């Protein structure tokens, strides 16, 4: 057993401040374990969102020492207890209370993205044919647990508050899963360019770095979508072809 100090943000939409809690930590504990211990022994009214404690629900997202992480997947032996460990809510979303933020904006964004629209079956029995390579390409995107850590770390949302013009990395991943699906026929490129703001992403790869599912967000989702938008709207030859056709 050793003692650690947790500096936890306490407050609501009207304001708040950090408060220090000193507690004992033992081998094998994760940050969420410590938060539950503090909640049980020192701060019964501490608000924290969690569910599975297995890194699969995405509920316990927070900022640990300034970095967006899942509390249930951040082991105490990864952190130094020589100085206070800071815990604060995600910065990109409205505050509710303590470590809990209102992430409902994300679900409203998802509703606006055009849904999957399959092509007609390839065979008379109503089945499709597709290559395994095409199937494998979109499987990575389906690992997303919607923790919204990538949304939180993205400077376009976090620092510039472009929520009305920019859908964020999570939904570029969602769009890529649809756009690259071998059966999909829907056209989302105009939306990506105009209302969803893919041009605002300057590919810093910060979203890829914080993804707990190790999805290669920037290279495998955002850049290919950017390339499709550029091909459609900015390629001079294709632009000329569209004028004459």
């Amino acid at each position: 057993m050793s003692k650690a100090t947790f500096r936890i943000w306490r407050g609501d939409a009207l304001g708040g401040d950090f408060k220090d809690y000193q507690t004992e930590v033992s081998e094998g504990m994760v940050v969420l374990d410590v938060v539950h211990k503090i909640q049980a022994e020192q701060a019964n009214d501490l608000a924290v969102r969690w569910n599975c404690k297995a890194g699969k629900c995405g509920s316990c997202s927070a900022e640990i020492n300034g970095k967006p992480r899942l509390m249930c997947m951040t082991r105490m032996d990864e952190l130094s207890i020589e100085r206070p460990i800071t815990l604060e809510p995600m910065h990109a979303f409205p505050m509710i209370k303590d470590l809990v933020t209102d992430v409902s904006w994300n679900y409203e964004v998802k509703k606006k993205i055009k849904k999957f629209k399959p092509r007609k079956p390839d065979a008379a029995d109503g089945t499709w044919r597709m290559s395994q390579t095409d199937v494998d390409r979109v499987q990575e995107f389906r690992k997303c647990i919607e923790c919204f850590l990538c949304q939180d770390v993205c400077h376009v949302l976090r620092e510039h508050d472009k929520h009305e013009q920019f859908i964020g990395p999570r939904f570029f991943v969602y769009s890529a899963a649809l756009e690259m699906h071998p059966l999909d026929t829907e056209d989302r490129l105009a939306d990506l360019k105009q209302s969803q703001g893919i041009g605002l992403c300057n590919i810093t790869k910060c979203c890829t770095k914080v993804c707990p599912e190790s999805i290669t967000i920037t290279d495998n989702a955002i850049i290919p979508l950017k390339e499709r938008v550029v091909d459609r709207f900015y390629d001079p030859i294709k632009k000329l072809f569209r004028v004459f056709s």
Side-chain angles (χ1 to χ4, degrees), residues 51-196:
N51 189 15
C52 74
K53 199 174 174 274
K56 292 302 175 185
C57 73
S59 299
C60 64
S61 299
E63 300 194 5
I64 303 170
N65 288 340
K67 181 180 178 181
R69 304 181 71 170
L70 293 177
M71 289 188 284
C72 72
M73 297 301 288
T74 305
R75 301 181 62 84
M76 285 301 301
D77 58 17
E78 298 173 15
L79 305 172
S80 171
I81 59 173
E82 299 297 319
R83 53 185 179 275
I85 297 166
T86 61
L87 273 184
E88 53 192 315
M90 291 190 287
H91 286 197
F93 307 112
M95 167 60 55
I96 295 179
K97 185 183 178 187
D98 301 338
L99 300 177
V100 180
T101 53
D102 180 2
V103 296
S104 60
W105 169 82
N106 294 282
Y107 303 113
E108 295 305 314
V109 168
K110 194 171 188 178
K111 292 177 186 177
K112 297 175 183 177
I113 297 173
K114 292 176 180 175
K115 302 300 183 281
F116 178 70
K117 183 180 178 182
R119 69 172 188 254
K120 291 181 180 180
D122 299 321
D125 61 0
T127 58
W128 291 270
R129 293 184 180 88
M130 57 187 120
S131 71
Q132 189 61 46
T133 302
D134 288 336
V135 174
D136 292 341
R137 182 170 55 172
V138 298
Q139 285 302 103
E140 175 188 17
F141 306 139
R142 299 185 181 279
K143 296 192 299 179
C144 177
I145 59 174
E146 295 199 329
C147 60
F148 304 127
L149 293 177
C150 62
Q151 302 284 75
D152 183 48
V153 78
C154 178
H155 66 93
V156 181
L157 297 173
R158 181 189 182 92
E159 297 171 15
H160 301 288
D161 195 25
K162 299 285 187 180
H163 292 71
E164 295 301 315
Q165 301 107 302
F166 187 74
I167 61 174
R170 188 287 172 263
F171 296 107
F172 292 136
V173 166
Y174 178 65
S175 296
L178 296 170
E179 279 291 302
M180 298 179 193
H181 196 288
L183 300 183
D184 184 68
T185 60
E186 187 60 85
D187 186 353
R188 303 173 186 83
L189 297 185
D191 291 343
L192 284 165
K193 174 182 179 287
Q194 295 162 9
S195 61
Q196 296 171 2

